[in-house]
Every structure is written in structure tokens, then in C-alpha cells.
């Protein structure tokens, strides 16, 4: 008998898995935008709104991190 950590995800079809991933991505984008000033600024600088993200493919058009943003110290840290 198999033991599943998260049966909904581990046994999902490709279409179901993509739906779950899309829902989680949209939720994460809203949480980042509303709770993290750094991401809110990056979204605003790109003219991006959380409402613009409707699928996994939408996020591919935007680059929230570059090499420079990853190695530049955070001002308040």
C-alpha cells in the first residue's frame, strides 16, 4: 500500500496539476504584492499588477530577479 504526503498533488493528472500550480502561483503573487514592499516596488516598476497573472505562462514574460538584484544588498538588512 502506498503512503502519500499530499495525495491530491501526487496523484493528479497533468491538467489537474497545472490547475493547482496556477492557483498557487496566483495566490503567491497576491501575497507577495500585498505583503512585501520589495516585490510591490518591482511589480509597480514593471507596470505589473497581480491581476495580470492568469496562468503559468504569464509569469514567463516578467523577470522579477536578475543577477544584479540577487547580489545587491537589501537596503534595510
Amino acid at each position: 500500500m502506498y503512503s502519500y504526503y499530499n495525495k491530491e498533488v501526487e496523484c493528479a493528472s497533468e491538467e489537474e496539476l497545472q490547475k493547482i500550480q496556477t492557483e498557487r502561483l496566483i495566490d503567491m503573487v497576491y501575497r507577495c504584492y500585498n505583503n512585501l514592499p520589495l516585490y510591490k516596488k518591482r511589480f509597480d516598476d514593471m507596470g505589473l499588477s497581480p491581476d495580470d497573472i492568469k496562468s503559468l505562462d504569464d509569469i514567463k514574460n516578467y523577470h522579477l530577479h536578475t543577477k544584479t538584484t540577487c547580489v545587491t544588498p537589501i537596503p534595510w538588512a
Side-chain angles (χ1 to χ4, degrees), residues 2-67:
Y2 293 105
S3 176
Y4 297 102
Y5 175 72
N6 186 337
K7 190 172 183 176
E8 176 190 13
V9 174
E10 293 182 37
C11 297
S13 67
E14 189 173 338
E15 294 82 22
E16 291 169 335
L17 189 56
Q18 188 170 9
K19 182 180 179 220
I20 292 167
Q21 290 172 336
T22 300
E23 290 170 356
R24 290 181 179 182
L25 171 68
I26 291 170
D27 182 57
M28 181 189 66
V29 167
Y30 274 99
R31 281 187 284 120
C32 288
Y33 186 82
N34 292 321
N35 298 313
L36 300 169
L38 176 67
Y39 281 99
K40 181 172 183 358
K41 180 177 178 352
R42 288 200 180 141
F43 277 57
D44 292 343
D45 289 349
M46 292 188 301
L48 179 63
S49 164
D51 295 327
D52 296 333
I53 306 298
K54 303 276 189 236
S55 72
L56 296 172
D57 291 330
D58 292 340
I59 201 72
K60 294 176 185 176
N61 300 323
Y62 302 98
H63 303 284
L64 294 172
H65 288 288
T66 63
K67 182 177 180 180

